[in-house]
């Protein structure tokens, strides 16, 4: 096991916001507040940060000289660390491995670690140390697709496309997958523009479909959200790569046609109802509210709530 950090240097490293380090230090060394306070027992030891649930997080990207460590030495250090964490009553270990250090995945797996998730440049593995079955939360369960039902109230026309690369050519609303950190309405507006060339603005959320083991969701579930959008450009310039056809169709024709998907047909009927009886009957509108975490905000979607109810203090 390489001697990576010595004497005062390792104390300085620990002081640096309790970063995880692979180190060999004097017996009795401990991390600062928030660190796993473990006394080293061997030549080298893996250190991690303690989380508020009593788990330990080890980030290999923050450790010095990992490129010099071979998988056998890593496995030995990890095994010793697990023993220590168990004796200290830690409930879980989170191991973050950069993609270029993937040679450490197999040794970790041989000690019981499983994949929790992977991003483009790293993977995260976990090991449950607590009593009984693991209580660690899983990772993403759904992908989110968003479509725009772009309805022009003046002409009663609705924007529809037929996908290329589909076995059946059926009319549907333009849409696609949401990007990380993107608001639902922004996805709808972006996808409509990319696929059809039509500019529009978000009005409301109309429906949510949840489908499990969706064929296009890599074994995950699919959440498909349809928004009502208002167009402010009308000349179609559709994406030839994704769409076969694109047109403004009479809403009543879309309601009647058999050449469409059940969800498109249902939402066309919902739109017709809203157009005739008032969109407030079908719209879930959006509002931004402050999160309990300082400085953060979120979007909430629900039926319109009268202002008097937004400000009322009791049941008066
Ligand atoms: N019932 C309906 O009316 C339909 C609903 N949806 C929903 O729409 C959402 C997804 O929308 P999309 O238009 O499919 O996404 P999207 O608009 O983000 O486009 C997906 C793009 O990725 C490409 N692609 C997909 N898989 C690929 C692969 N394995 N290799 C190479 N290229 C690949 C496609 O050719 C397409 O260009 C989902 O939520 C889905 O449930 C999709 C189709 C019909
Ligand atoms: Mg699409």
């Amino acid at each position: 096991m390489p001697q990576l950090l010595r004497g005062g240097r390792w104390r300085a490293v620990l002081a640096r916001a309790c970063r995880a380090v692979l180190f060999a230090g004097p017996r009795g060394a401990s991390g600062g507040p928030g660190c796993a306070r473990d006394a080293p027992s061997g030549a080298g030891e893996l250190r991690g940060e303690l989380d508020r649930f009593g788990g330990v997080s080890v980030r290999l990207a923050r450790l010095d000289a990992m490129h010099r460590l071979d998988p056998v030495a890593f496995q030995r250090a990890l095994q010793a660390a697990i023993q220590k964490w168990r004796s200290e009553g830690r409930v879980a270990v989170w191991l973050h491995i950069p993609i270029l250090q993937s040679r450490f995945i197999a040794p970790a797996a041989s000690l019981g670690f499983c994949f929790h998730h992977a991003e483009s440049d790293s993977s995260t593995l976990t090991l449950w140390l607590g009593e009984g079955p693991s209580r660690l939360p899983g990772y993403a369960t759904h992908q989110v697709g968003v479509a725009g039902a772009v309805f022009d109230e003046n002409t009663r026309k609705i924007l529809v496309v037929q996908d290329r690369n589909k076995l059946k050519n059926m009319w549907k609303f333009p849409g696609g997958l949401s990007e990380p950190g993107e608001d639902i309405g922004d996805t709808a507006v972006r996808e409509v523009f990319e696929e059809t060339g039509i500019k529009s603005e978000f009005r409301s959320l109309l429906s949510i479909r949840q489908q499990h083991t969706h064929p296009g969701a890599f074994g995950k579930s699919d959440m498909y959200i349809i928004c009502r959008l208002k167009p402010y450009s009308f000349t179609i310039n559709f994406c030839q790569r994704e769409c076969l056809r694109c047109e403004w169709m009479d809403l009543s024709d879309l309601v009647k046609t058999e050449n469409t998907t059940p969800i498109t047909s249902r939402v066309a009927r919902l739109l017709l109802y809203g157009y005739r009886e008032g969109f407030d009957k079908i719209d879930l509108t959006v509002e931004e509210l402050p999160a309990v975490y300082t400085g953060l905000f979120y979007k909430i979607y629900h039926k319109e709530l009268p202002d008097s109810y937004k400000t009322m203090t009791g049941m008066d």
Side-chain angles (χ1 to χ4, degrees):
M1 183 65 54
Q3 297 283 308
L4 298 175
L5 298 171
R6 290 182 176 280
R9 172 95 194 278
W10 67 262
R11 282 189 198 89
V13 171
L14 288 173
R16 259 196 344 245
C18 297
R19 288 183 178 155
V21 286
L22 174 66
F23 83 114
R27 207 173 164 79
S30 66
C35 286
R37 292 169 180 277
D38 42 5
S41 53
E45 189 166 343
L46 282 170
R47 272 183 183 260
E49 297 166 37
L50 256 190
D51 65 36
R52 64 195 172 99
F53 300 98
V56 183
S57 216
V58 180
R59 296 177 184 279
L60 299 194
R62 294 185 183 176
L63 310 189
D64 291 333
M66 286 303 291
H67 62 280
R68 279 193 259 132
L69 197 63
D70 67 69
V72 176
F74 173 76
Q75 184 169 345
R76 267 204 306 271
L78 187 57
Q79 196 162 21
I82 291 168
Q83 225 169 25
K84 181 168 287 296
W85 290 324
R86 261 190 214 288
S87 72
E88 291 168 345
R90 308 297 178 221
V91 297
V93 186
W94 299 78
L95 187 57
H96 305 275
I97 304 183
I99 192 166
L100 287 175
Q101 292 173 2
S102 294
R103 66 185 183 284
F104 298 135
I105 290 174
S110 74
L111 295 173
F113 279 82
C114 293
F115 281 122
H116 183 264
H117 65 272
E119 298 288 349
S120 58
D121 59 353
S122 70
S123 59
T124 297
L125 285 73
T126 55
L127 178 68
W128 177 248
L129 302 177
E131 296 272 305
S134 171
R135 290 195 303 275
L136 294 177
Y139 195 55
T141 56
H142 290 68
Q143 70 171 15
V144 176
V146 187
V150 189
F151 181 57
D152 181 5
E153 289 173 57
N154 296 321
T155 59
R156 285 192 19 159
K157 298 227 184 244
I158 180 100
L159 186 66
V160 282
V161 295
Q162 286 186 6
D163 272 345
R164 200 173 276 285
N165 309 322
K166 283 276 153 76
L167 298 175
K168 277 188 177 175
N169 295 320
M170 299 209 265
W171 292 112
K172 50 157 258 190
F173 302 121
L177 296 177
S178 202
E179 287 173 1
E182 188 174 48
D183 281 343
I184 291 166
D186 293 343
T187 306
V189 167
R190 176 182 56 75
E191 284 286 343
V192 164
F193 181 70
E194 286 174 7
E195 292 184 8
T196 70
I198 297 297
K199 292 178 185 159
S200 62
E201 60 190 27
F202 177 81
R203 277 289 179 271
S204 71
L205 198 152
L206 294 175
S207 75
I208 300 173
R209 178 190 75 177
Q210 185 190 33
Q211 187 181 343
H212 300 300
T213 52
H214 188 269
F218 307 98
K220 299 293 176 188
S221 304
D222 181 79
M223 197 75 92
Y224 178 53
I225 299 171
I226 302 179
C227 301
R228 184 167 74 84
L229 305 183
K230 183 179 176 179
Y232 61 84
S233 83
F234 301 90
T235 308
I236 290 172
N237 176 20
F238 71 90
C239 170
Q240 308 281 339
R241 209 169 5 91
E242 195 168 351
C243 306
L244 196 62
R245 293 186 187 85
C246 175
E247 59 182 61
W248 288 105
M249 186 185 281
D250 245 30
L251 180 58
S252 51
D253 288 344
L254 184 60
V255 165
K256 278 182 260 165
T257 187
E258 287 184 0
N259 189 22
T260 189
T261 62
I263 188 170
T264 308
S265 184
R266 173 59 61 92
V267 171
R269 285 150 208 264
L270 193 66
L271 269 174
L272 189 60
Y273 171 59
Y275 175 71
R276 286 178 176 166
E277 309 285 334
F279 285 117
D280 58 317
K281 293 265 197 309
I282 62 168
D283 280 346
L284 300 184
T285 52
V286 67
E287 202 176 324
E288 189 167 77
L289 293 179
V292 287
Y293 312 106
T294 321
L296 294 180
F297 289 85
Y298 57 75
K299 297 271 164 55
I300 184 167
Y301 302 82
H302 57 63
K303 289 290 285 280
E304 204 60 54
L305 185 67
D307 281 344
S308 56
Y309 276 78
K310 285 182 188 166
T311 53
M312 74 194 289
T313 50
M315 293 303 289
D316 45 21

